[in-house]
Amino acid sequence: MSVQERKQRERAERERLIVATARELAERQGWEAVTTRRLAERIEYSQPVLYSHFRGKREIIGAVALEGAAELAAAVRAATAAADGPRERVAALARAYLDFAAHNPAVYDALFQLDGGLAYAREDTPEPLKDAFAALLESLGDVAGDGVHPALFTEVFWACLHGVATLTRAGRMRPEDAEQRVKLLVDRFAVV
């Protein structure tokens, strides 16, 4: 291995460490606790080293969001792959999405609540974000109904899931009704 390759590998490892540490800190204490000073202390590098990877917290949030988008896409695809039929895929998608939001609140916030400097719904949208949307579209396109554009249907269904996830996390909805909400979404949205 050349010196150049070793340096690139070490740089990539440092970047992964920064992102993992930021994510861990945010999941435990909230994004307010994530500062470049605290991250530098935790990873045992100087702040200038951290800034050589990310210009600031905003870019770190963006990196966590991209990582989270890939994880969300994988979770949705794994859940829907095991489902039998379009309605069951929609229910599995909804459960996987809501579970992801509940179990990864800081990542979910990085994806959908905080400014990570990422472009959404544009040509320059990063691939992990496009792929997360594609993972939803793969299951929802079959149930959009006649005359309804599958991507538009997916956006509306996603907005409903986001609302349920956000209101549930905020304690505005009764947790014991979670499965009834999924059933209602599937019954009202899945035209098969």
Side-chain angles (χ1 to χ4, degrees), residues 87 90-91 94 157 181-191:
R87 291 177 63 79
V90 174
F157 192 85
R181 283 187 204 94
V182 169
K183 185 180 178 327
L184 184 60
L185 280 171
V186 173
D187 288 347
R188 296 294 184 248
F189 279 92
V191 179

Side-chain angles (χ1 to χ4, degrees), residues 87-106:
R87 291 177 63 79
E88 292 76 14
R89 276 194 301 279
V90 174
L93 177 151
R95 286 186 201 100
Y97 184 96
L98 295 171
D99 285 349
F100 181 87
H103 293 104
N104 303 282

Side-chain angles (χ1 to χ4, degrees), residues 15 18 39 50 60 104 106 118 187:
E15 193 164 300
I18 294 166
L39 283 174
L50 193 140
I60 294 168
N104 303 282
L118 303 173
D187 288 347

Side-chain angles (χ1 to χ4, degrees), residues 158-172:
W158 171 31
C160 290
L161 286 176
H162 176 69
V164 170
T166 302
L167 291 170
T168 299
R169 282 185 50 213
R172 303 292 199 275

